[in-house]
Amino acid sequence: MALLNDSVVLITGGAGGIGAAAVRRFAARGNQVVIADLDRDRGEALAAETGAYFVRTDVRDLAENEAAVAAAVERFGRLDVVHLNAGTIASTSIGESFAPDRYRHLMGVNLDSVVYGVQAAHGPLKAAGGGRIVVTASATGMRPSYEVFYAASKHAVVGLVRSLGPLLEAEGIRINALCPGLVDTPLIADRMAELNRAGMAVSDPESVVDALETVLADPRTGLAWLVMADRPLAPFEFADLPVAREKNLLFENGGVRAVQIPEGNQP
Ligand SMILES: NC(=O)c1ccc[n+]([C@@H]2O[C@H](COP(=O)([O-])OP(=O)(O)OC[C@H]3O[C@@H](n4cnc5c(N)ncnc54)[C@H](O)[C@@H]3O)[C@@H](O)[C@H]2O)c1
């Protein structure tokens, strides 16, 4: 496996958990790493520890994503790899306790961040002759969860990555999703004791970064890679719906056209 060792890598949510493990790994391999995170204290401390560059970023905002990408390009001259990893949980659901502000916040951090991150990065990646984007989605992007809005946001992210794969390929950009099961990070720290008691398999952040390195080295695009403690790393196999004619319509003449779903293929 060809490991990243001379690239400019931007990592959102890089101040904590999985992102921080990725920052440490990529910096140790000799890459130039940019940490884009809301948490200035932890971001600056990690930058000082690893030699990375910290840009305070709220990933819910398009202009802040653009500013983080611009800062990376200004400082290091180009951008090669983007890890769109920031995420949160909402702990609200449908019913009397529904908290619209927490729902919107979750969608901003988990979904808008990916739309805006890809939008901000794809120009500079294209200018560098191509590049790689890996999004941290979740195994909850393929299965239901009692965290209903978290599940909705991660399903959306997986759908976005799968849909963007063939589109961005034309620009030399590969995009894939990492879909971990439970990972021992601050995000679920308050649930760890309960999860351990229930005998749930929990990965450590370093094993997610192992998977990230494998995915970055893989030539394929538009895949959702399951990263679970109790099974080998592999792209999730979705049901093969009959979309071939739709694909032809979409990409004929090398451009994008309005999609007409052929009769008989309507969901
Ligand atoms: N921990 C798990 O069990 C687990 C499982 C599957 C997927 N994930 C996903 O992995 C990713 C990383 O999560 P983690 O477990 O390392 O969590 P974490 O809470 O340890 O780290 C998340 C980081 O994102 C940053 N962040 C939060 N809101 C932000 C914002 N608006 N702008 C910029 N940065 C912001 C935080 O400051 C923090 O540094 C998330 O997308 C999460 O959904 C986590």
Side-chain angles (χ1 to χ4, degrees), residues 125-223:
L125 290 176
K126 192 177 163 189
R132 283 159 283 175
I133 301 172
V134 179
V135 179
T136 310
S138 172
T140 304
M142 293 89 153
R143 66 182 179 193
S145 165
Y146 64 93
E147 284 278 357
V148 295
F149 304 128
Y150 184 82
S153 71
K154 295 298 184 178
H155 276 72
V157 163
V158 167
L160 182 67
V161 166
R162 296 178 70 210
S163 304
L164 283 173
L167 285 180
L168 295 181
E169 203 169 25
E171 300 182 345
I173 300 167
R174 296 203 301 266
I175 182 166
N176 289 283
L178 276 185
C179 302
L182 295 163
V183 189
D184 185 2
T185 72
L187 189 73
I188 59 164
D190 59 347
R191 299 166 197 207
M192 276 304 289
E194 201 185 320
L195 293 169
N196 285 333
R197 257 197 310 277
M200 303 288 288
V202 180
S203 306
D204 55 36
E206 287 69 31
S207 66
V208 180
V209 181
D210 293 342
L212 172 60
E213 292 197 299
T214 300
V215 171
L216 283 169
D218 191 277
R220 291 170 288 175
T221 191
L223 299 177

Side-chain angles (χ1 to χ4, degrees), residues 13-257:
I18 296 167
V23 168
R24 289 195 174 93
R25 180 81 57 91
F26 290 137
R29 293 210 193 284
N31 300 285
Q32 305 292 353
V33 180
V34 178
I35 303 168
D37 201 292
L38 200 55
D39 188 330
R40 181 178 293 283
D41 289 347
R42 283 190 305 142
E44 285 183 344
L46 186 60
E49 174 198 321
T50 58
Y53 179 52
F54 174 72
V55 186
R56 199 231 173 237
T57 310
D58 187 338
V59 293
R60 294 174 296 166
D61 185 80
L62 175 59
E64 295 210 11
N65 280 273
E66 289 171 340
V69 167
V73 173
E74 192 178 319
R75 189 166 179 103
F76 298 116
R78 64 176 205 281
L79 185 62
D80 303 302
V81 172
V82 179
H83 182 195
L84 300 174
N85 164 79
T88 191
I89 43 184
S91 300
T92 180
S93 186
I94 294 292
E96 280 178 17
S97 63
F98 178 60
D101 52 340
R102 273 198 258 158
Y103 161 68
R104 284 304 334 151
H105 180 264
L106 173 99
M107 285 302 186
V109 180
N110 288 9
L111 178 58
D112 296 349
S113 64
V114 181
V115 174
Y116 297 159
V118 175
Q119 173 60 25
H122 97 280
L125 290 176
K126 192 177 163 189
R132 283 159 283 175
I133 301 172
V134 179
V135 179
T136 310
S138 172
T140 304
M142 293 89 153
R143 66 182 179 193
S145 165
Y146 64 93
E147 284 278 357
V148 295
F149 304 128
Y150 184 82
S153 71
K154 295 298 184 178
H155 276 72
V157 163
V158 167
L160 182 67
V161 166
R162 296 178 70 210
S163 304
L164 283 173
L167 285 180
L168 295 181
E169 203 169 25
E171 300 182 345
I173 300 167
R174 296 203 301 266
I175 182 166
N176 289 283
L178 276 185
C179 302
L182 295 163
V183 189
D184 185 2
T185 72
L187 189 73
I188 59 164
D190 59 347
R191 299 166 197 207
M192 276 304 289
E194 201 185 320
L195 293 169
N196 285 333
R197 257 197 310 277
M200 303 288 288
V202 180
S203 306
D204 55 36
E206 287 69 31
S207 66
V208 180
V209 181
D210 293 342
L212 172 60
E213 292 197 299
T214 300
V215 171
L216 283 169
D218 191 277
R220 291 170 288 175
T221 191
L223 299 177
W225 293 74
L226 260 190
V227 187
M228 309 280 283
D230 53 2
R231 62 172 75 193
L233 174 71
F236 185 78
E237 292 192 19
F238 291 88
D240 187 16
L241 292 175
V243 291
R245 284 186 58 203
E246 179 190 336
K247 270 192 192 155
N248 287 341
L249 273 180
L250 252 180
F251 299 114
E252 69 183 6
N253 302 326
V256 187
R257 300 204 307 124

